[in-house]
Every structure is written in structure tokens, then in C-alpha cells.
């Protein structure tokens, strides 16, 4: 059933109810038993246990767990405990992030639990909204939240705020007429009221046609629970990297351990060697560094008015290829504004408000025929109380020095006829004081000595039908066909530009008007046209530049709105957003198959009159073409698309709790430019994480070379005793490798994570979704750097072993540590020399480098640390040689940038 296409009598008949008496209590109970409670149902939510288990399924985490378990079995409790602690901390961090993201349905359910007044058994009673059934007659009035979907059966100046469904803040005037369009979206079903919407004025009654999950809000809830949470690009890339590292580490460990066993080495020693390789190949610091880097990035974004709800969103922003933005409040100011006027008495053409002349009569009419009020906040910006369109008229007068309070003193209101959808206009009646005549000489001339005046505003076509005269420079003249045609032409021009047009008129009233003009139709006759207001929610001044930045960064911006196509098109032209084609409406989108939609998305940038289902289709079609999509929204209707998008962006000022809970990021200023700033931060974060991964794996490769090759060099095959007293035939113990990984990879990785962005970060395209963390020549760079680190460390250790130094293993251990310190310094920029950007341009990194050096020295010389790590004190000369050998890595890193600059990002 599509009740908006049926008459009131037909809908009431089909629902087997009665408008005056409602359902009987017995019938309501029977229907409740059949359809169930009027509530939104949850399905498909992950349990706490499932969310916790997911955190430990990543490839690198599994490898670490295996290494810890094997260490435990062969008696290495300290190594096993260290690895377990790292894994558990990482898992808990991820769990708490996921747990927060599962609250969207709870917020949605919270919206739909008001008390309601219904007619049952011939009386009006108050019941729980959950007890409503189809066929109930619900009474609604100003301030009520609609408890269910229903066809209006009574309507008295009823206006409903439907922004949670349509995204548009302007209240919708309701009526009882049949709408002869079966495909009409919720925003066009003006004889219907929907669950969760708010009555802003008037009163009415509706027959319930849909409850619970069978409402428009229920459809959104169903979509919200059916949208699966996808992995972020970083999670996908890290998982691929983990599998690659696992394969490499496994093959190397098996080959080397197997070769050692065949040569007669102890099986226990070879197991230990295999564990050492597993520990060396996995960047244990990666989970912690990624989490800390993302958290620091989130804090930086917060300073730029973007609140991150899910940490992986920070990195995903850097990969965004398409930004799908709502219009109202994000691309525009979310404030209706008078931008132009047409005043026949002043000019025979449309004039910008700032340049308007002889405008006082028009402004006085607009501000007085009005129920809205304005105030200024601490920043001096206008805050509207009431209807946004009416508020814009009050603001326009205020800008010309005509405050509402002063106007009401000059023209006290003595009567009114409220707006309704049949007349499409509003009338207020005012006394004309002597002070008003002296202040408004031109208006007084038109009033011709009358003591009261009626001001009227409304739709131009309806008002022109009631007008007989037009106010010109030399007084009121007959409104002939020429003036009517000219006024309608201006109206059409403005409407085609996406502007809302209101006409204003007045009528000087005779002294006996109370007895002679006692009906609205008599009052609104013989009107004198003053002029037209042109209003629009103007685009934010800074958005145009932000869209240009998007183009330079290879990001495509889309406008997806529930507003009219003409309005959407006008705003898109001002923002230079469109790609040449007309705006596609939701109805047109429904006629496109997925393949055709994917093709149209290559050319169309503006979508108007869209529904929640349409938004999900657009996001899905973009993602099917490999796009990383950011979707903005503020209403309940946006929640499914926000959850489906790679990055869901909710509005902090106008957004509902549901949209915020479904989002990854919340804009505290509701501004499109904040999204672009967040994308820039995301790119910087991704670049820094990628730098860390290359730095970490190259260092780990050097360690693998030292651990795996050194034992097969006879001069390195010697007994090595740890704190547990077990002998090893390996160059470095697993705990030493874990120390290096956490000290250098972990701490230095954090330093890389806070590195400022490199120049040109928003002048290159996004990272392709299919690209891995090793794309762009990274593998070659890692291999070269890893070999150099491994060779330099082995040669240094070999030399000291050859000299008979007892601490050659500690020298090898220290050389690897210093090598990675200098590697981190050289990795800070992929293209610029460290001498160009400066050693102190990242103070955090400079402090961490100093800390790591101190900790490494403590690991060599402090007795408790010596016992823990199995190190021995080395001479100052040996320490200096280790430091100098490590310093050669910085020289190599600088040469890398010169020789392989084109392959590095």
C-alpha cells in the first residue's frame, strides 16, 4: 500500500478504523499480537567476545603468539611474557575502538520512544509509542515527535521538521491532498508524517500505516544493521604485509634451522634460532607505533575541528579518492539568507540586497509579517529562533538598521492570519504610529493616512492573484498584465537559479476593517505588490578553494542532497563542483542499473532528491570501481551510508546521535574544508606509517642477516650464555632482538609518526587502493637498506671477533642499534636531505634519539640490564666504533634519496 497516493477515506477504509473513535481496545490488542511492538529491532551485532577475538586474528599477531608459545615450551619464559604483553595491549586497544563503533543502533532506538495521544474506544488517551498498531488514530501538535508513519487525516497549519530523514532543515508544510506519484520520496510525501520527525507548528491527526521496522526509520535501521564494517586500506595492506613477512620468515627459519640440524647442530639451538628469526622478521613495535601515530594524528585533527571516533579512520582519510558531501551546512552556511530583491518602485530589475534602493517598505513587510526572532551570539553572528526562511527576512531588515523590536514599536501588531498550504501566504495587521510615519516617509506616502495596515507575504504566484496594484515610485498603480508578466519572469529566473522566492504586499486598511474585513479572503484582497525577496542558503566562502585543493590532490567531490535539483545545481555552479552534466535525481537514479550508474559517476557530480537507499547505491558503486569513499551526513537517513562508506563523516553541530555513532569522524564545525584538512592530515599519517614500515622491516632484514648468516660463519659459532644459563650458538639472543625491535622500532617509530608533512602532500594523487605498503620501489629500498645494515653490523662484529674481543656480540648488538638510529634520522624524509630539513625540525624525534642512545648505553653498562639482556661492558673505543659504523647508514640513506628519488614516496 502507498497511502500517499490514496484519499483519506480510502486509507481509513483499508485500515479498518474510524477517524473520530479510533480502534477499539480489543482490536488494538489483536493487531499488536499480529504485528508486534512499535520498536526498532537490532540484528547482526557482534558480541563482545567476537570483537575481542577479531583483534588477535591479524597475521602478524598470530606469528607473535606462535613465537611466544614456542618460547614458553622451550623454557624462555621472559621472552614469552614480553611478547604476550605486547600482543594483549595491542588487542585491547583495538577492542575498545570497535566497541565504541557498535553503538549506532542503541542511539537509533533511543529516538523512537515518546508517549503518544491516540483515539481509542471513542476517547483520547495517552499510551506508550511501542503499543501503537496500524489503524490507530494519533493526535499530534507543535513539539511532538511522530511515533510512527501515517497518512494525515486532519491538518491545521501543520509543519513538520523532517531533517533526520531528508537532511534538509526547513520545515515541510503538510496537507491532506492525494499525491499522484507512486515513486515520490519521503520528502515529497506531504500528506504523510514519519516516525522520528518533529512537529514544528500546527496540529493534526494521522492514521498509522507503518510501525517499527515497517517505517521509513525502520528501513534505515535495517540498512544500518545490514551494512558490514569493511577493513580500512591500512588494515588490508598491513595484513598483506604480515602474510608476506610470515612467508619470508618461515622459509628462512626452516632453511637455516634445517641446514643447522643436518650439520649436526643441536635441535634445541636450531629451534631457538628459528624463534630468533621469527622475532627478528616481525616488527613487534608496529601495532603500538601505528596506534600511537594514529592517536597523535587524531589529536592534530581535533585541533583542526575533526573529532576521530575510530583510529584507523585517520589513515583511511589519506587514501580517500571521492568525497560525497551533503549540501546543507557542509557546503553551505545552513542559514537562509536574502541575497537579492526586486522592488518595482526602485528598479526595473533584480538587485543584490547590498545595492538595493528604496527598500524600506519591502524590509518592513518582511520583518513584521513574521513570527521568527533573531539574536546575536558572542561572535556577533545571527542566531535564528523560529522558521529559517522567516528569520532570514528579519536578519535582512536588521542589517539595514531596522531591528525587529523597533519595528514592533513603530508598527504594533493587532491581528494576524497564519500561513496555510491552501493560501500559501501569511498576513499580519499593524497599527501605524506617528513615529512610524516620520521614520518611513516613503511607506507613509503609500499608506495614504490610514491608521492600520495589513502586511502580506507568500508565494509569488498566489499573491499576484490576490493583488490589484503595484507600488511604483509615483504611488500605487494598477497591476496590469505587463507588470504581472514581468514579476513572474523575475520569479522564474530566480527559481531556475535555485533560489527561494517570496513576494511581499500591503493593504492600507479602512477604519472599519474589523467589521468589513472579517475573513481572511476579504482581508487578502486588493493587495498592493511591494516586491520580491530572493533567498538561498549560500555556499561557504572557503569551500570553493577547498574543492580546488581536492582537484589538485586527485580527489573527486560530489554533492548528494535531498534538496531540489535547481538549488543543488545552483550551489554546485558557484562552487565549481559540477562536471558539466545536469543534477541526477533520486528518481532517475532508480532507473539506472549498477553498470550504468558506475559509468554516470564518471561524469555526474551532483545528486538531488536522494533517499538513504540511493546514498548507499552511490557509495557501493564508487567502491566497486576501487574508490575509497568519504560520505558526510547529519540525519538518521545518512547513518547507513556513513557506515557503508570507507570514512563516515557526521556533523557535530547539526548531526543526530545516530549519525555520529555510525560515523568514523565528526566535524565540529560542520565545514567541508575540515574534511579536506583531515584528508591532508591522513596523507601525512599514512606517509609516516609507511616510512616506519620501511624503516622497521629494513632494520629487521639486517637483523635476520646477522642472526641467520653469522652462525654459519665458523668464527661466529661460539657459546653464548643468557641469564638463564643456557648456551646458544647464535649471534644474538631472542630477547636482544626483542629489545632492538621495541627500543629502536618502537620509540624511533613514534618519532617518525609525528614527522611534519612533506611539501606537496596535497599535490599528488591518492594512494591506489590496490597498492600495498611495499609499492613505489619500497621493496628495493628495504632490501638495499637491510643488506647494508646487516653487512655493516656483521663486518663490525667479525672484526672484533677476529681481534679476540670478548664483547664482540655486544658490539654487534650495539652496532645494530646505532645503525637503526641513524637509519631513522635518514628516513624522516623520502626526498629531502636531513641537512635541508634540519635535525631539530622534529623536536620529538630529536628527544627520542637521545633517549634511545641513553637506553642502549644503559643496556650495555648497567649490571641489571646486562643480566637481563646478556650483554657485557665494552670499551669506549669499541662503543665509538659501533657508533661510527652505525653512522654510515645515514650516509647511505642520503645517497639513496639521490640515486633512487623517482621511486620513493
Amino acid at each position: 500500500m502507498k497511502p500517499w497516493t490514496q484519499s483519506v477515506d480510502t486509507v481509513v477504509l483499508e485500515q479498518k478504523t474510524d477517524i473520530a473513535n479510533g480502534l477499539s481496545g480489543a482490536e488494538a490488542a489483536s493487531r499488536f499480537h499480529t504485528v508486534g511492538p512499535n520498536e526498532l529491532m537490532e540484528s547482526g551485532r557482534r558480541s563482545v567476545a567476537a570483537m575481542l577475538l577479531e583483534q588477535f586474528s591479524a597475521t602478524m599477531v598470530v606469528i607473535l603468539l606462535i613465537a611466544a608459545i614456542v618460547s614458553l615450551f622451550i623454557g624462555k619464559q621472559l621472552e614469552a611474557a614480553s611478547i604476550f604483553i605486547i600482543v594483549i595491549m595491542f588487542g585491547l586497544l583495538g577492542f575498545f575502538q570497535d566497541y565504541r563503533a557498535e553503538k549506532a543502533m542503541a542511539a537509533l532506538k533511543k529516538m523512537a520512544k515518546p508517549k503518544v495521544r491516540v483515539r481509542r474506544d471513542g476517547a483520547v488517551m495517552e499510551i506508550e509509542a511501542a503499543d501503537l498498531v496500524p489503524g490507530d488514530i494519533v493526535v499530534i501538535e507543535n513539539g511532538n515527535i511522530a511515533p510512527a508513519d501515517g497518512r494525515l487525516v486532519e491538518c491545521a497549519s501543520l509543519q513538520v521538521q523532517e531533517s533526520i530523514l531528508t537532511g534538509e532543515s526547513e520545515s515541510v508544510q503538510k496537507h491532506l491532498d492525494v499525491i499522484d506519484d507512486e515513486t515520490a520520496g519521503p520528502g515529497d510525501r506531504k500528506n504523510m508524517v514519519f516516525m522520528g520527525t518533529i512537529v514544528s507548528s500546527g496540529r493534526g491527526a494521522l492514521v498509522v500505516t507503518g510501525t517499527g521496522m515497517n517505517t521509513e526509520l525502520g528501513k534505515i535501521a535495517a540498512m544500518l544493521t545490514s551494512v558490514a564494517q569493511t577493513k580500512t586500506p591500512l588494515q588490508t595492506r598491513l595484513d598483506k604485509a604480515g602474510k608476506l613477512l610470515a612467508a619470508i620468515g618461515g622459509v628462512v627459519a626452516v632453511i637455516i634451522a634445517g641446514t643447522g640440524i643436518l650439520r649436526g647442530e643441536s635441535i634445541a639451538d636450531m629451534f631457538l634460532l628459528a624463534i630468533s628469526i621469527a622475532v627478528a622478521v616481525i616488527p613487534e613495535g608496529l601495532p603500538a607505533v601505528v596506534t600511537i601515530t594514529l592517536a597523535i594524528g587524531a589529536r592534530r585533527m581535533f585541533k583542526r575541528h575533526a573529532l576521530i571516533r575510530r583510529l584507523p579512520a585517520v589513515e583511511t582519510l589519506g587514501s580517500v579518492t571521492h568525497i560525497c558531501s551533503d549540501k546543507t551546512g557542509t557546503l553551505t552556511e545552513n542559514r537562509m539568507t536574502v541575497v537579492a530583491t526586486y522592488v518595482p518602485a526602485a528598479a526595473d530589475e533584480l538587485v543584490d540586497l547590498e545595492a538595493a534602493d528604496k527598500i524600506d517598505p519591502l524590509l518592513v513587510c518582511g520583518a513584521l509579517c513574521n513570527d521568527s526572532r533573531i539574536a546575536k551570539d558572542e561572535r556577533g553572528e545571527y542566531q535564528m529562533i523560529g522558521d529559517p526562511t522567516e528569520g532570514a527576512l528579519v536578519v535582512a531588515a536588521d542589517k539595514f538598521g531596522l531591528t525587529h523590536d523597533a519595528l514592533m514599536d513603530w508598527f504594533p501588531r493587532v491581528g494576524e492570519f497564519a500561513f496555510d498550504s491552501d493560501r500559501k501566504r501569511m498576513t499580519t495587521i499593524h497599527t501605524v504610529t506617528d513615529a512610524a510615519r516620520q521614520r518611513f516617509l516613503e511607506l507613509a506616502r503609500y499608506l495614504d493616512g490610514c491608521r492600520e495596515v495589513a502586511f502580506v507575504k507568500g508565494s509569488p504566484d498566489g499573491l499576484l492573484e490576490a493583488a490589484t496594484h503595484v507600488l511604483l515610485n509615483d504611488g500605487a498603480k494598477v497591476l496590469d498584465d505587463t507588470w504581472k508578466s514581468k514579476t513572474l519572469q523575475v520569479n522564474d529566473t530566480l527559481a531556475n537559479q535555485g533560489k527561494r522566492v517570496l513576494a511581499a504586499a500591503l493593504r492600507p486598511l479602512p477604519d472599519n476593517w474589523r467589521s468589513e474585513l472579517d475573513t481572511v479572503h476579504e482581508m487578502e484582497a486588493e493587495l498592493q505588490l511591494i516586491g520580491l525577496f530572493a533567498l538561498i542558503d549560500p555556499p561557504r566562502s572557503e569551500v570553493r578553494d577547498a574543492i580546488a585543493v581536492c582537484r589538485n590532490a586527485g580527489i573527486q567531490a560530489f554533492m548528494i542532497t535531498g534538496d531540489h535539483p535547481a538549488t543543488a545545481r545552483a550551489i554546485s555552479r558557484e562552487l565549481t563542483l559540477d562536471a558539466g552534466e545536469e543534477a541526477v535525481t533520486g528518481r532517475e537514479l532508480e532507473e539506472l542499473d549498477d553498470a550504468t550508474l558506475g559509468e554516470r559517476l564518471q561524469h555526474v557530480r551532483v545528486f538531488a532528491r536522494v533517499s538513504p537507499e540511493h546514498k548507499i547505491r552511490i557509495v557501493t558503486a564508487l567502491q566497486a570501481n576501487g574508490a575509497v569513499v568519504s560520505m558526510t551526513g547529519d540525519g538518521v537517513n545518512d547513518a547507513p551510508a556513513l557506515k557503508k562508506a570507507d570514512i563516515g563523516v557526521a556533523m557535530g553541530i547539526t548531526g543526530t546521535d545516530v549519525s555520529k555513532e555510525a560515523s568514523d569522524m565528526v566535524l565540529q564545525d560542520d565545514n567541508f574544508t575540515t574534511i579536506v584538512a583531515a584528508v591532508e592530515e591522513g596523507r601525512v599519517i599514512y606517509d609516516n606509517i609507511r616510512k616506519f614500515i620501511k624503516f622497521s622491516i629494513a632494520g629487521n632484514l639486517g637483523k635476520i642477516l646477522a642472526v641467520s648468516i653469522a652462525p654459519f660463519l665458523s668464527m661466529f659459532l661460539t657459546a653464548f650464555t643468557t641469564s638463564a644459563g643456557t648456551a646458544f650458538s647464535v649471534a644474538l639472543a631472542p630477547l636482544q632482538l626483542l629489545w632492538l625491535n621495541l627500543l629502536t622500532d618502537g620509540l624511533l617509530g613514534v618519532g617518525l609518526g609525528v614527522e611534519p608533512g612533506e611539501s606537496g602532500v596535497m599535490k599528488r594523487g591518492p594512494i591506489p587502493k590496490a597498492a600495498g605498503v611495499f609499492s613505489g620501489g619500497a621493496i628495493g629500498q628495504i632490501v638495499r637498506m637491510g643488506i647494508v645494515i646487516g653487512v655493516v653490523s656483521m663486518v663490525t662484529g667479525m672484526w672484533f671477533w677476529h681481534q679476540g674481543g670478548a664483547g664482540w656480540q655486544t658490539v654487534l648488538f650495539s652496532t645494530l642499534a646505532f645503525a637503526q638510529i641513524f637509519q631513522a634520522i635518514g628516513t624522516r624524509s623520502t626526498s629531502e636531505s636531513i641537512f635541508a630539513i634540519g635535525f631539530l625540525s622534529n623536536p620529538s624525534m630529536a628527544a627520542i634519539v637521545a633517549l634511545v642512545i641513553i637506553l642502549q648505553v644503559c643496556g650495555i653498562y648497567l649490571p641489571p640490564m646486562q643480566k637481563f639482556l646478556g650483554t657485557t661492558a665494552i670499551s669506549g673505543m669499541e662503543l665509538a666504533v659501533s657508533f661510527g659504523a652505525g653512522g654510515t647508514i645515514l650516509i647511505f640513506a642520503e645517497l639513496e634519496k639521490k640515486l633512487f628519488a623517482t621511486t620513493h614516496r
Side-chain angles (χ1 to χ4, degrees):
M1 186 179 70
K2 297 180 177 178
W4 64 92
T5 65
Q6 299 174 319
S7 68
V8 170
D9 291 339
T10 301
V11 175
V12 170
L13 186 63
E14 287 194 356
Q15 292 292 340
K16 298 178 182 178
T17 188
D18 181 87
I19 294 177
N21 298 314
L23 297 173
S24 67
E27 178 63 21
S30 174
R31 295 189 185 190
F32 184 88
H33 180 74
T34 302
V35 301
N38 177 34
E39 292 181 339
L40 303 179
M41 304 299 174
E42 295 183 65
S43 64
R45 291 190 68 184
R46 294 179 298 168
S47 67
V48 171
M51 283 188 285
L52 192 58
L53 188 61
E54 284 178 16
Q55 308 307 317
F56 302 99
S57 60
T59 305
M60 284 189 283
V61 175
V62 171
I63 295 171
L64 286 175
L65 285 172
I66 293 172
I69 292 169
V70 173
S71 297
L72 196 62
F73 272 107
I74 64 173
K76 302 301 169 189
Q77 290 87 356
L78 190 58
E79 288 87 340
S82 301
I83 297 173
F84 274 130
I85 290 171
I86 294 166
V87 170
I88 290 170
M89 287 178 61
F90 169 64
L92 289 176
L93 279 170
F95 166 74
F96 285 121
Q97 289 297 324
D98 276 2
Y99 183 73
R100 289 176 59 195
E102 285 290 321
K103 294 181 179 177
M105 271 304 303
L108 191 59
K109 289 183 71 175
K110 189 178 178 181
M111 294 190 61
K113 291 187 177 179
K115 292 266 190 178
V116 294
R117 291 189 302 142
V118 299
R119 294 172 186 164
R120 284 188 181 174
D121 293 318
V124 176
M125 60 183 67
E126 190 174 82
I127 66 171
E128 293 280 347
D131 296 332
L132 281 178
V133 295
D136 264 325
I137 304 298
V138 179
V139 179
I140 55 175
E141 61 185 12
N142 185 23
N144 289 164
I145 299 175
D149 287 5
R151 171 67 158 91
L152 285 168
V153 295
E154 296 174 5
C155 182
S157 301
L158 183 66
Q159 292 190 2
V160 180
Q161 226 278 2
E162 298 179 341
S163 63
I164 67 165
L165 289 177
T166 65
E168 299 307 314
S169 58
E170 192 170 343
S171 296
V172 177
Q173 184 72 38
K174 296 294 183 177
H175 58 72
L176 300 180
D177 299 339
V178 171
I179 295 173
D180 191 20
D181 181 2
E182 292 189 356
T183 63
D188 294 319
R189 301 175 199 167
K190 296 184 179 179
N191 55 14
M192 298 282 294
V193 175
F194 304 103
M195 176 189 275
T197 59
I198 302 170
V199 178
S200 55
S201 66
R203 57 183 176 79
L206 59 97
V207 54
V208 175
T209 57
T211 60
M213 299 301 286
N214 293 318
T215 62
E216 291 297 320
L217 201 62
K219 293 178 185 177
I220 294 170
M223 287 187 288
L224 193 58
T225 56
S226 65
V227 174
Q229 195 73 44
T230 57
K231 286 186 176 182
T232 70
L234 178 64
Q235 289 170 327
T236 302
R237 289 165 183 149
L238 290 182
D239 205 40
K240 288 180 180 177
K243 290 174 181 176
L244 180 61
L245 289 173
I248 294 172
V251 170
V252 172
V254 168
I255 291 174
I256 293 176
T259 304
I261 292 172
L262 291 175
R263 290 182 53 191
E265 299 293 338
S266 163
I267 293 178
D269 284 352
M270 290 303 100
F271 258 122
L272 188 58
L273 178 59
I275 292 171
S276 298
I277 293 172
V279 171
V281 78
I282 298 298
E284 286 86 358
L286 180 58
V289 168
V290 168
T291 301
I292 293 169
T293 301
L294 294 178
I296 291 171
R299 189 170 61 187
R300 287 210 301 249
M301 289 183 184
F302 183 77
K303 293 178 180 178
R304 300 180 77 168
H305 308 295
L307 175 64
I308 300 298
R309 294 190 66 256
R310 293 179 62 246
L311 281 184
V314 177
E315 175 275 332
T316 308
L317 279 161
S319 302
V320 163
T321 59
H322 294 71
I323 299 176
C324 299
S325 176
D326 191 15
K327 174 183 69 68
T328 306
T330 310
L331 297 174
T332 65
E333 295 179 2
N334 195 25
R335 182 169 54 217
M336 291 298 289
T337 304
V338 177
V339 292
T341 60
Y342 170 64
V343 183
D348 192 19
E349 61 184 4
L350 192 67
V351 179
D352 289 344
L353 180 65
E354 291 79 6
D357 188 25
K358 298 183 178 180
I359 198 176
D360 278 1
L362 185 67
L363 294 176
V364 170
C365 178
L368 289 177
C369 187
N370 201 310
D371 288 328
S372 290
R373 300 291 181 269
I374 62 170
K376 287 187 177 181
D377 59 19
E378 61 277 4
R379 296 173 297 178
E381 295 183 359
Y382 288 104
Q383 300 297 316
M384 299 181 190
I385 305 168
D387 182 79
T389 301
E390 287 198 332
L393 303 181
V394 180
V395 169
D398 192 84
K399 288 180 177 178
F400 278 78
L402 305 177
T403 66
H404 191 268
D405 290 343
L407 286 172
M408 291 298 284
D409 289 339
W410 285 320
F411 299 92
R413 184 186 292 191
V414 294
E416 65 182 277
F417 293 98
F419 178 93
D420 67 46
S421 57
D422 293 327
R423 294 161 39 241
K424 296 182 180 178
R425 53 183 174 265
M426 171 184 180
T427 296
T428 55
I429 304 164
H430 301 263
T431 298
V432 183
T433 64
D434 291 339
R437 296 180 192 281
Q438 296 173 8
R439 170 63 178 79
F440 301 99
L441 297 177
E442 184 179 3
L443 180 57
R445 182 163 56 89
Y446 293 136
L447 298 179
D448 195 27
C450 70
R451 289 187 292 181
E452 275 110 3
V453 61
F455 289 118
V456 185
K457 77 171 190 305
S459 68
D461 51 353
L463 195 143
L464 283 173
E465 290 177 2
T468 57
H469 291 73
V470 56
L471 298 182
L472 300 177
N473 196 34
D474 53 350
K477 302 297 179 182
V478 174
L479 182 67
D480 56 22
D481 290 341
T482 300
W483 276 110
K484 279 188 178 181
S485 176
K486 189 176 295 184
T487 304
L488 288 172
Q489 186 176 3
V490 172
N491 176 55
D492 291 342
T493 299
L494 291 169
N496 290 333
Q497 294 173 355
K499 296 180 175 66
R500 182 172 185 187
V501 186
L502 288 176
L506 61 80
R507 180 180 182 180
L509 298 176
D511 291 342
N512 63 347
W513 66 270
R514 287 179 175 82
S515 59
E516 295 295 323
L517 308 176
D518 56 351
T519 69
V520 65
H521 297 292
E522 291 173 337
M523 178 64 69
E524 294 177 348
E526 302 178 17
L527 299 180
Q528 299 176 5
L529 176 69
I530 304 174
L532 304 178
F533 290 101
L535 304 96
I536 198 168
D537 179 11
R540 290 178 179 267
S541 57
E542 65 273 23
V543 169
R544 184 168 180 156
D545 291 338
I547 289 174
V549 171
C550 285
R551 285 200 195 92
N552 291 333
I555 299 170
Q556 295 181 16
F558 292 77
M559 179 195 296
I560 302 178
T561 178
D563 210 341
H564 292 282
T567 304
R569 185 74 175 146
I571 295 296
S572 72
R573 279 195 295 265
E574 288 195 48
L575 297 174
T576 66
L577 179 67
D578 59 293
E581 288 199 14
E582 290 297 318
V584 172
T585 64
R587 188 176 304 172
E588 293 168 340
L589 193 149
E590 288 178 353
E591 298 173 357
L592 303 177
D593 57 32
D594 291 343
T596 306
L597 175 59
E599 193 278 329
R600 290 293 299 276
L601 284 167
Q602 304 298 318
H603 310 287
V604 177
R605 296 291 178 269
V606 181
F607 292 85
R609 282 301 192 201
V610 295
S611 69
E613 295 92 338
H614 299 148
K615 291 185 177 184
I616 288 185
R617 275 200 71 195
I618 293 169
V619 172
T620 303
L622 288 170
Q623 289 174 331
N625 289 332
V628 177
V629 183
S630 169
M631 167 68 79
T632 72
D634 56 3
V636 173
N637 65 315
D638 296 317
L642 293 179
K643 194 171 181 182
K644 174 66 177 174
D646 299 282
I647 290 290
V649 182
M651 304 296 108
I653 299 173
T654 61
T656 60
D657 287 344
V658 178
S659 64
K660 292 175 185 176
E661 289 293 345
S663 70
D664 303 290
M665 181 174 81
V666 178
L667 301 184
Q668 294 178 293
D669 57 358
D670 289 9
N671 197 329
F672 180 86
T673 58
T674 302
I675 304 174
V676 180
V679 168
E680 180 181 357
E681 288 287 354
R683 289 191 175 190
V684 172
I685 293 299
Y686 177 75
D687 285 350
N688 288 346
I689 290 175
R690 196 161 179 265
K691 288 174 188 175
F692 167 73
I693 290 172
K694 291 191 293 184
F695 156 75
S696 176
I697 296 176
N700 288 0
L701 177 59
K703 295 165 198 166
I704 289 173
L705 291 174
V707 171
S708 59
I709 297 177
F712 296 98
L713 300 176
S714 59
M715 69 284 294
F716 271 41
L717 200 56
T718 186
F720 176 66
T721 304
T722 66
S723 57
T726 303
F728 285 87
S729 295
V730 292
L732 294 176
L735 203 54
Q736 289 178 328
L737 288 167
L738 195 60
W739 168 269
L740 289 174
N741 278 10
L742 295 180
L743 190 67
T744 58
D745 291 8
L747 289 175
L748 292 172
V750 172
L752 288 173
V754 296
E755 188 67 31
E758 298 193 46
S759 59
V761 70
M762 289 298 282
K763 293 182 180 179
R764 58 171 168 83
I767 303 294
K769 197 171 185 178
V773 292
F774 302 121
S775 60
I779 292 179
Q781 185 183 11
I782 288 169
V783 170
R784 289 188 295 270
M785 181 63 75
I787 290 173
V788 171
I789 290 173
V791 169
V792 167
S793 301
M794 281 194 296
V795 168
T796 305
M798 184 189 303
W799 184 77
F800 275 98
W801 174 85
H802 186 69
Q803 298 297 318
W808 66 267
Q809 289 162 318
T810 302
V811 170
L812 173 60
F813 176 56
S814 299
T815 303
L816 281 168
F818 293 132
Q820 286 214 263
I821 291 172
F822 284 106
Q823 180 201 2
I825 295 171
T827 305
R828 285 181 51 198
S829 173
T830 56
S831 57
E832 295 182 82
S833 168
I834 184 62
F835 302 102
I837 63 175
F839 284 91
L840 299 179
S841 57
N842 181 350
S844 298
M845 173 62 98
I848 288 172
V849 165
L851 176 62
V852 169
I853 291 173
I854 292 170
L855 289 174
Q856 181 62 24
V857 171
C858 290
I860 298 171
Y861 295 106
L862 289 182
M865 296 299 293
Q866 289 176 338
K867 185 176 181 181
F868 178 74
L869 295 172
T871 57
T872 57
I874 56 178
S875 67
M877 186 273 292
E878 290 171 327
L879 182 65
V881 170
S882 295
F883 188 85
T888 62
I889 302 304
L890 177 59
I891 298 172
F892 179 77
E894 292 296 306
L895 290 174
E896 268 267 329
K897 297 173 190 177
K898 299 293 183 183
L899 297 174
F900 302 98
T902 57
T903 63
H904 295 171
R905 285 182 70 101

